Amino acid sequence: MKLGSPFRPRLLSALLISIFLGSAPATPAQERGELRIATSYKLMTLDPQYANLNENTSLLSHIYERLVYQDENLELKPGLATSWRPLSDTQWAFKLRDKVRFHNGSAFDADDVVYTIERIRDFLKPPSGGFRSYVSGIKSVSAPDPLTVLIETDGAVPNLPLFFSSIFVMNRPSEGVETTEDLNAGHPPNGTGPYRFESWSSGESLRLARNDDYWGGKPAWSKVTFRVIENPAARVAALSTGEVDVADAIPARDVASLKERGARVASVGAARVNFVQFDVARDTLPGVTDKSDEPIANPFKNPLVRRALTLATDRGILVDKILAGYGTAAAQVFPNGLPGTSAKLLPEAPNYDEAKMLLAKAGFPDGFNLVLAGPAGRYPGDAESLQAVAQSWARIGVNAQPAAAPFSVFNTKRAAGDYGVWYGGTSGEAVDIILHTLLASPDPERGTGALNFGKYRNEAFDAMLARAESIAVGPERNAALAQATELVMADQPIIPLYHFHHIVGYGSRIGSYVLHPRGWTTAMQTLPAME
């Protein structure tokens, strides 16, 4: 069992940087026709600024680009912006890349960045997971010349460049603002990226064509087709039979058999966490009853119950058995060793006797019943993890009925409040981004708590997080984030389970596949085999 092992980013060659900034330029010997990718990611919208979900971030990154790129060590690198600097505590200047064009032929300039920020901040009203929190602190944005953007913030925002590593830049239309409905209904997506949009069938496929005029060099693949295959076994089968060239989110249990059939596998530790989250706000909860199936008061309001369930969770089974070693047990939101993590927070082995004592002290000596919800096929080992957690909790008298559903169904029901406790996962650019989104008190004006579906509130933690976010990037900020994490995790609003490893399989037409800890699946990471 890998308890608390530090995160060691893979040291990659300079080629990785060129791949993720845009696309590794193809040589004549490398150029290929269509690249076929089986992905677990179901693209939900063609609006690149609507939902901050990995499926959108990953797939739309072929079409759109960001001002700033985050490399494999989560360090910031130039993207559409070549440089940036603070002019004061509340002012920033970004210099833009010259001679970049959108797919419709129009030149990229500062006015497009102004439009992007204002569209997100003032126009879009997305559901949880949107990008508004990244720009909510921007007071004004202006373009003194075509290649310069000046930004004034309401207060100090020392992490502003990091925020822009998540925001895709859109082309300002000739008039008005493009709506999400317009984009989904047929307005062709128009970005600056290495591939152009051809077609999209929701839940089925995304087809792309090479952008021969891409500023970063001619991409290697002339066509790219993503096939949405949500079932992991079906993705593995498609790769095994040669129907696709690449398959993402490979279950760890299938790695050995894939290798036996001639496929190759790449993996990297994920900058993300999978967890159990509690609804701590409502007085009663759906699916939570006593042993006679009668409704009871919300037990998760009591921190003793949350602590008991944490002590009754066997992370070792999850990591060693379900993930087959392709994961690390979790005690916080990022793997130990990344900036902002706490060396003091280490996963605990289960202690069922102490968990029973805490339950009895909280007034539940016989336990209770609950429905443990979660997605199926969204994350490695998700449905199996539900079963394993339920089996662990049964040892202290908490009878959990696993309820796995397709992610789209699960996500809708979770947002609607149909669950009292659930398994989920999230990733982000940095520790503070996840803390800000997952555990900070929900506040639409500040943009906090977008994924805090449990409506957890902790004023002391909010204050500590706000202080940490006010500090410039560096050791002092990291220490402040670690202290805030220690405070909130002591209250157990979630149970961190594991940081899984991203696993991708690829066939003979592929020379190599370069993984990123953020878990993106792109054609730009896929290099053709040399003839």
Side-chain angles (χ1 to χ4, degrees):
M1 176 179 177
K2 300 177 182 177
L3 288 177
S5 60
F7 180 83
R8 297 180 176 89
R10 179 176 296 178
L11 298 179
L12 301 176
S13 69
L15 177 61
L16 184 143
I17 300 299
S18 68
I19 290 172
F20 282 103
L21 282 178
S23 178
T27 65
Q30 287 180 304
E31 289 188 19
R32 294 296 184 271
E34 181 183 14
L35 173 67
R36 304 159 301 167
I37 300 177
T39 181
S40 60
Y41 291 143
K42 182 179 179 181
L43 184 63
M44 296 184 174
T45 175
L46 291 177
D47 187 338
Q49 298 169 354
Y50 186 70
N52 189 9
L53 297 170
N54 239 20
E55 47 264 67
N56 294 339
T57 298
S58 180
L59 299 182
L60 293 180
S61 67
H62 296 80
I63 302 168
Y64 297 95
E65 296 182 288
R66 310 168 182 88
L67 291 180
V68 180
Y69 162 71
Q70 197 175 31
D71 72 8
E72 79 284 3
N73 294 318
L74 305 187
E75 300 290 342
L76 301 182
K77 304 294 182 182
L80 288 177
T82 57
S83 64
W84 49 89
R85 64 188 179 94
L87 304 179
S88 69
D89 286 344
T90 59
Q91 292 181 316
W92 286 82
F94 286 76
K95 292 295 183 181
L96 306 183
R97 194 173 297 276
D98 196 8
K99 298 179 181 178
V100 174
R101 292 196 171 273
F102 286 92
H103 297 161
N104 66 359
S106 62
F108 160 71
D109 63 23
D111 199 38
D112 299 305
V113 179
V114 173
Y115 169 74
T116 289
I117 294 171
E118 292 180 342
R119 181 177 187 265
I120 296 171
R121 186 191 63 188
D122 304 332
F123 183 76
L124 289 183
K125 297 186 183 299
S128 57
F131 294 89
R132 182 170 292 180
S133 62
Y134 297 137
V135 298
S136 59
I138 294 178
K139 182 178 180 180
S140 65
V141 55
S142 60
D145 65 63
L147 296 180
T148 303
V149 176
L150 295 181
I151 295 174
E152 183 175 356
T153 58
D154 288 321
V157 186
N159 228 17
L160 188 65
L162 177 64
F163 293 167
F164 285 119
S165 71
S166 286
I167 294 173
F168 289 123
V169 176
M170 293 180 68
N171 185 208
R172 181 187 286 277
S174 57
E175 58 181 33
V177 176
E178 279 190 293
T179 67
T180 301
E181 292 74 19
D182 289 338
L183 288 164
N184 289 338
H187 282 207
N190 178 36
T192 60
Y195 290 91
R196 301 171 182 267
F197 174 81
E198 279 203 338
S199 67
W200 170 53
S201 178
S202 180
E204 296 181 8
S205 65
L206 174 68
R207 299 182 186 279
L208 306 166
R210 178 167 56 200
N211 176 13
D212 289 330
D213 298 323
Y214 180 58
W215 63 267
K218 188 177 180 180
W221 305 96
S222 61
K223 299 279 187 181
V224 179
T225 297
F226 283 90
R227 287 177 52 193
V228 179
I229 305 178
E230 294 186 88
N231 183 278
R235 285 196 303 279
V236 170
L239 178 61
S240 299
T241 59
E243 294 177 36
V244 298
D245 303 302
V246 175
D248 65 16
I250 297 295
R253 64 177 178 269
D254 292 319
V255 168
S257 64
L258 271 177
K259 289 182 177 179
E260 289 174 359
R261 298 175 206 170
R264 284 172 288 174
V265 171
S267 69
V268 70
R272 62 173 303 121
V273 65
N274 285 71
F275 53 84
V276 170
Q277 189 172 35
F278 304 103
D279 185 322
V280 299
R282 290 181 285 176
D283 293 331
T284 59
L285 298 173
V288 180
T289 67
D290 63 17
K291 291 299 182 70
S292 300
D293 287 329
E294 294 296 325
I296 58 175
N298 182 354
F300 308 130
K301 287 189 174 186
N302 191 329
L304 294 179
V305 173
R306 302 195 298 267
R307 177 61 179 157
L309 292 173
T310 299
L311 285 172
T313 301
D314 190 343
R315 297 172 176 88
I317 289 178
L318 303 178
V319 170
D320 295 337
K321 303 299 184 183
I322 294 175
L323 299 180
Y326 283 91
T328 305
Q332 53 192 314
V333 298
F334 263 13
N336 287 12
L338 283 179
T341 57
S342 169
K344 298 178 182 179
L345 293 175
L346 299 174
E348 300 173 274
N351 187 330
Y352 299 108
D353 291 336
E354 184 178 348
K356 289 180 182 178
M357 291 173 55
L358 290 174
L359 268 188
K361 188 175 181 180
F364 299 98
D366 299 322
F368 51 89
N369 299 335
L370 59 84
V371 174
L372 178 60
R378 168 72 174 182
Y379 309 110
D382 47 15
E384 297 92 336
S385 293
L386 287 181
Q387 296 284 346
V389 171
Q391 291 171 10
S392 291
W393 289 358
R395 297 183 62 170
I396 64 170
V398 175
N399 296 329
Q401 176 186 344
F407 179 70
S408 57
V409 175
F410 165 77
N411 198 37
T412 299
K413 289 189 172 184
R414 179 179 58 177
D418 289 355
Y419 304 134
V421 55
W422 55 89
Y423 162 100
T426 188
S427 63
E429 304 86 341
V431 162
D432 52 304
I433 300 296
I434 295 186
L435 295 176
H436 188 95
T437 304
L438 183 64
L439 297 174
S441 299
D443 185 339
E445 293 300 318
R446 293 179 53 233
T448 57
L451 297 181
N452 185 353
F453 294 105
K455 301 297 187 289
Y456 173 76
R457 294 182 180 275
N458 185 327
E459 292 183 1
F461 166 68
D462 290 340
M464 290 184 71
L465 179 59
R467 176 186 172 275
E469 291 177 323
S470 71
I471 302 171
V473 174
E476 184 182 354
R477 181 189 183 94
N478 292 338
L481 288 170
Q483 291 171 1
T485 301
E486 291 162 11
L487 176 81
V488 74
M489 291 317 306
D491 204 23
Q492 301 286 183
I494 64 170
I495 303 176
L497 297 177
Y498 52 76
H499 314 287
F500 65 72
H501 294 178
H502 297 297
I503 308 175
V504 170
Y506 54 97
S508 60
R509 295 181 67 233
I510 309 304
S512 63
Y513 188 91
V514 184
L515 279 159
H516 191 282
R518 293 285 302 280
W520 298 319
T521 302
T522 74
M524 294 82 78
Q525 296 163 252
T526 312
L527 303 183
M530 300 293 290
E531 291 184 348

